């Protein structure tokens, strides 16, 4: 029986562990606090089309490959855990000024030319779709194939799935990959991955996010994910069964998880111009986490040497990218490669930045 250590218990590590256990590996997952990092903080959007931009073909294709896997992935999880993780079926990006409205048309033209479907809505179309949005909204971009999931329900469902598949959980921090006796290792510690593989081009990108609970006097949450840019700052509102998730700020300040007054103020102020009834909601939670950023905004999924596979660096898209990453890692563990994951191979970066001295031999 082959043994596998998965280091990191966010959605990427959990799903890789689940898949590997299902394929016959004896899997141990190491994390002092499973599911407590970026996977817990996240909003849960699955929006590769709405986030598309001319020239970013690889990111679009990679995200779309994962989006296509989501229905099957979620159905499998539901069968095992009893949890339906979906909280919305569609995404609507709205524009508050002429420049943003022009950008929506640019995105729609580019994405639709690549075989997907985004629909531009005028002011009346947006109002018909989401009557509670503010009067300043002048156009929208409807992605009818982009749902959202409850990231925390996803973490819980993946833990159950891992348990059912026989994954052993060890609440331990791994100090060095060389200490692990396992045949194979998957490094899935997100923004902290470079601490275990020095030189890996992954850095923390801080984000603050709010959870707001609906009170009886407050307007109902939007039915869809609502995305917008306000004063140049991107925001999103993701429905939940009891309210909304409102995100997110973005800063490059290292490993800092303080929630700042300015961050909360900007999120609330910007969101109120999109959803005016927001002030009636109960302020339930403010939390900050670290997106694992890479230089080209694509993750790193591939061999670092014959034993260690990295699956990290998913940036803003860790929840979206979970199913395709799990499939890609399983392919690598069984000595094949998933073609859709080719743009994520670590060898696209100079070998010096990914080949740690622990493992001479370098990137395979
Ligand atoms: N996934 C959304 C964000 O990173 O803010």
């Amino acid at each position: 029986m082959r043994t596998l250590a998965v280091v990191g218990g966010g959605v990427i590590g959990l799903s890789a562990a689940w898949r590997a256990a299902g394929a016959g590996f004896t899997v141990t997952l190491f994390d002092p606090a499973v599911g407590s990092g970026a996977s817990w903080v996240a909003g849960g959007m699955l929006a590769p089309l709405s986030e598309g931009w001319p020239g970013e073909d690889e990111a679009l294709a990679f995200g779309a490959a994962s989006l296509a896997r989501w229905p099957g992935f979620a159905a499998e999880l539901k069968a095992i855990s009893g949890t339906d993780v979906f909280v919305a079926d569609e995404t609507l990006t709205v524009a508050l000024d002429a420049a943003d409205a022009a950008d929506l048309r640019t995105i729609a033209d580019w994405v639709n030319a690549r075989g997907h479907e985004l629909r531009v809505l005028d002011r009346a179309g947006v109002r018909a779709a989401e009557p509670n949005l503010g009067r300043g909204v002048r156009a929208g971009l409807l992605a009818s194939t982009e749902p959202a999931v409850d990231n925390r329900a996803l973490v819980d469902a993946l833990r159950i799935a891992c348990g059912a598949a026989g994954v052993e959980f060890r609440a331990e921090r791994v100090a060095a990959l060389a200490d692990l006796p396992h045949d194979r290792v998957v490094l899935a510690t997100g923004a902290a991955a470079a601490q275990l593989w020095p030189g890996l081009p992954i850095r923390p990108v801080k984000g603050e996010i709010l959870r707001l609970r609906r009170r009886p006097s407050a307007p109902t949450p939007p039915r869809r994910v609502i995305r917008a840019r306000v004063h140049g700052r991107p925001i999103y509102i993701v429905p939940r069964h009891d309210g909304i998730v409102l995100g997110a700020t973005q800063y490059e300040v290292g490993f800092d998880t303080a929630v700042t007054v300015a961050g909360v103020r900007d999120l609330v102020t910007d969101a109120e111009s999109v959803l005016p009834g927001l002030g009636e909601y109960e302020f339930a939670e403010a939390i900050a986490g670290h997106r694992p950023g890479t230089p080209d905004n694509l993750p790193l999924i591939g061999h670092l040497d014959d034993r260690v596979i990295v699956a990290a660096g998913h940036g803003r898209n860790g929840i979206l990218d979970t199913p395709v990453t799990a499939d890609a890692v399983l392919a690598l563990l069984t000595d094949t490669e998933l073609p859709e994951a080719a743009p994520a191979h670590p060898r696209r970066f100079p070998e010096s930045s990914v080949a740690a001295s622990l493992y001479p031999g370098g990137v395979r």
Side-chain angles (χ1 to χ4, degrees), residues 42-45 51 207 209 236 247-250 291 315-319:
M45 291 183 296
E51 294 205 357
I209 192 164
Y236 50 82
T249 58
Q250 186 155 321
R291 306 172 183 92
R316 297 176 60 87
N317 296 314
I319 305 289

Side-chain angles (χ1 to χ4, degrees), residues 1-361:
M1 184 82 79
R2 294 159 302 170
T3 60
L4 170 69
V6 175
V7 186
V11 292
I12 299 295
L14 285 165
S15 56
W18 174 37
R19 288 295 191 226
F25 281 83
T26 299
V27 183
T28 308
L29 188 147
F30 293 85
D31 195 314
V34 169
S36 65
S39 300
W40 192 252
V41 177
M45 291 183 296
L46 311 180
L49 313 183
S50 300
E51 294 205 357
W53 190 251
E56 298 180 358
D57 290 82
E58 288 187 331
L60 175 67
F62 185 75
S66 204
L67 181 61
R69 285 167 162 80
W70 254 104
F73 186 80
E76 272 187 77
L77 271 182
K78 186 176 177 186
I80 297 166
S81 67
T83 304
D84 179 0
V85 295
F86 287 112
V87 289
D89 295 332
E90 299 184 337
T91 296
L92 177 64
T93 306
V94 298
L96 301 175
D97 61 31
D100 283 351
D103 281 355
L104 297 187
R105 282 187 292 276
T106 300
I107 294 168
D109 290 346
W110 183 74
V111 169
N112 290 345
R114 278 148 188 81
H116 305 287
E117 197 197 329
L118 292 175
R119 193 151 58 90
V120 176
L121 304 182
D122 61 11
R123 192 187 295 266
V126 173
R127 183 150 294 281
E130 293 287 352
N132 289 337
L133 298 191
R135 300 211 162 268
V137 172
R138 57 194 292 163
L141 185 64
L142 182 64
S144 56
T145 58
E146 288 187 333
V149 298
D150 180 331
N151 51 299
R152 294 180 176 181
L154 174 64
V155 166
D156 292 342
L158 282 168
R159 286 162 83 118
I160 291 169
C162 282
V167 174
E168 180 196 358
F169 287 91
R170 290 241 195 114
E172 294 169 23
R173 187 174 302 283
V174 171
L177 300 185
D179 295 342
L180 298 169
H182 303 73
D183 300 329
R184 299 289 192 99
V185 175
V186 172
L187 175 59
T189 48
Q195 291 171 2
L196 286 172
W197 196 277
L200 213 54
I202 297 179
R203 67 188 195 285
V205 180
K206 180 180 174 182
E208 295 156 313
I209 192 164
L210 312 180
R211 282 172 162 78
L212 308 180
R213 201 171 293 127
R214 183 175 178 246
R215 300 191 309 145
S217 58
T220 51
R223 283 206 308 121
R224 301 165 176 81
V225 175
I226 307 295
R227 301 161 48 88
R229 193 163 53 199
V230 185
H231 305 127
R233 296 184 288 257
I235 60 160
Y236 50 82
I237 296 169
V238 189
R240 288 291 187 269
H241 300 301
D242 64 346
I244 59 176
V245 174
L246 166 56
T249 58
Q250 186 155 321
Y251 319 91
E252 303 258 355
V253 287
F255 286 99
D256 166 26
T257 49
V259 176
T260 65
V261 173
V264 175
R265 178 200 60 210
D266 288 349
L267 286 171
V268 171
T269 307
D270 294 348
E272 275 190 309
S273 59
V274 175
L275 187 64
L278 197 81
E280 289 295 317
Y281 279 66
E282 176 188 346
F283 194 103
E285 183 184 343
I287 191 168
H290 303 117
R291 306 172 183 92
T294 65
D296 61 2
N297 298 325
L298 278 163
L300 282 89
I301 306 169
H303 279 283
L304 293 173
D305 67 9
D306 286 344
R307 190 174 78 111
V308 179
I309 292 165
V310 62
H314 293 78
R316 297 176 60 87
N317 296 314
I319 305 289
L320 165 67
D321 293 341
T322 294
V324 76
T325 302
D327 285 353
V329 170
L330 183 58
L332 293 165
L333 287 170
T334 52
D335 298 324
T336 58
E337 290 193 6
L338 189 74
E340 295 96 313
H345 200 288
R347 80 164 70 90
R348 72 189 187 277
F349 294 111
E351 186 148 331
S352 58
S353 68
V354 286
S357 52
L358 274 175
Y359 297 98

